[in-house]
Structures are given as structure tokens and as C-alpha cells.
Amino acid sequence: MKNNLWLTLRHAEPNDAEQLLSYLNQVAGESENITFGPGEFELSVEEERAFLWHTAQSATSFYLIAEIAGEIAGTLSFSTGKRPRIQHAGEFGMTVLRRYWNRGIGSRMLAYLIDWARHTATIRKINLRVRVDNLPAIHLYEKYGFVQEGRLTREFYLHGQFVDAYIMGLQLDPPLAHQSSKN
């Protein structure tokens, strides 16, 4: 990783619940690009633990933790619809602590998500929502092939102002089956 920091990416486990809630409260106070502010992430440790357990049991969702020296530096959560008609598509949310911005953590987590999704037998579409004024994030998503598919007006309300969000998506096609040719 940039600046010679060692980054570990791993799936969250139920025993991460307390540390994750503390992390989420911290990141909520550092960024206005996420959907919740300080004190607004209202899950108890037990509820977060149950959420992490259920996420770990699903073949089409996960919760990724990015760690530096044992500290949570970022997270990415992804889940798909539960019904057969929509379980091929899912949405993700990502956070990174401010002191680790612009160090490649978001890029690494996004690459992990795309690689993981390509290897499932189900996921064929990854969706996201991003504030229209979050240009670094939009650039990152476009770098990985996401395209703008729409605009949600008044998606965020901050400091007495509405902020729109883009809906972006990445289509994933199944790998072509290798066919042997007969002579």
C-alpha cells in the first residue's frame, strides 16, 4: 500500500461488532459522504453481532474490513436482493477513516468486491449511490468500470441543503466456458 503501510483485508466476524460500531461512529463524524452522521448508527452490539453473523452465512453478501496495524481503517458491505428475480444484483457501501484517504484503501476494497462477485455463480450487477459532488469517489468508481445510470434528486440533506446522488452500476458477465475443440 502507499506509504509502506501493511493493509489486511478480511471478512468481518460477529466478534468484530463492538469495534465496528466504534469505527462507524468515528467515520460518521469525519465524512458527509455517507448516509449517517455521528450517533445515528443505532444498532446495539448484539444487533450488529447478529447482522454480521447473518451476512457471513449468505453466499451473496459480505462485510469487508480493511485493517492497518490491527485498527479498522475502512469497511465495505455488499448485499443482494433476497428474491430470485433480484438476487443477481446488489449494492455496496464503503467507508474509510479520513487519515487514510487517498492511500489506495478504497481501491483495494473495491477490487476485492469485484473479484469476489465475478467468482460467485449469482452476482451479475454491482450498484452504488454516490453524492454528485464526491468527485474522488466518482473517479474511483469510473476507473473500475462503473457507469452513471441515473440521478436521485434530494438524496441527502445536509446543512439546510439538498444534495443529489448518482446511481452507478457495473455489469458482470459470467466467464466464458472453455470449450475444447475436436479435431
Side-chain angles (χ1 to χ4, degrees):
M1 200 177 89
K2 296 177 183 175
N3 299 341
N4 294 322
L5 296 173
W6 187 257
L7 178 69
T8 301
L9 298 179
R10 65 174 180 84
H11 289 250
E13 300 173 357
N15 62 359
D16 292 315
E18 190 170 353
Q19 187 180 9
L20 274 170
L21 290 174
S22 177
Y23 164 84
L24 291 169
N25 192 50
Q26 180 180 350
V27 80
E30 295 181 347
S31 175
E32 293 184 341
N33 295 318
I34 57 178
T35 60
F36 55 92
E40 294 177 358
F41 200 83
E42 300 174 334
L43 291 182
S44 69
V45 173
E46 291 75 26
E47 290 169 325
E48 179 72 359
R49 192 173 287 128
F51 169 76
L52 294 171
W53 185 86
H54 287 291
T55 299
Q57 303 309 306
S58 171
T60 58
S61 64
F62 74 86
Y63 199 121
L64 189 66
I65 294 176
E67 287 182 327
I68 296 175
E71 175 189 32
I72 297 176
T75 64
L76 185 150
S77 61
F78 174 84
S79 63
T80 64
K82 303 299 179 219
R83 297 184 185 110
R85 292 182 180 185
I86 59 172
Q87 73 183 64
H88 68 280
E91 187 168 337
F92 77 93
M94 181 167 47
T95 62
V96 176
L97 286 179
R98 181 180 295 272
R99 73 175 164 274
Y100 295 118
W101 286 4
N102 302 311
R103 295 193 184 184
I105 295 173
S107 183
R108 299 281 173 91
M109 290 191 297
L110 189 54
Y112 185 99
L113 167 64
I114 294 167
D115 184 61
W116 172 84
R118 285 189 197 281
H119 287 90
T120 69
T122 307
I123 300 166
R124 297 293 169 246
K125 178 87 184 300
I126 301 174
N127 297 309
L128 65 94
R129 298 173 192 209
V130 60
R131 284 178 45 159
V132 297
D133 59 353
N134 188 350
L135 300 181
I138 292 167
H139 174 73
L140 172 65
Y141 302 140
E142 289 174 340
K143 177 178 142 184
Y144 279 91
F146 286 82
V147 295
Q148 292 179 21
E149 298 180 336
R151 184 178 183 130
L152 297 168
T153 60
R154 297 184 171 202
E155 184 70 359
F156 289 82
Y157 185 72
L158 298 157
H159 312 294
Q161 300 287 321
F162 290 106
V163 181
D164 295 353
Y166 290 128
I167 300 170
M168 298 182 76
L170 176 67
Q171 296 179 14
L172 302 172
D173 293 321
L176 295 175
H178 295 289
Q179 296 182 4
S180 61
S181 60
K182 294 183 179 180
N183 294 348

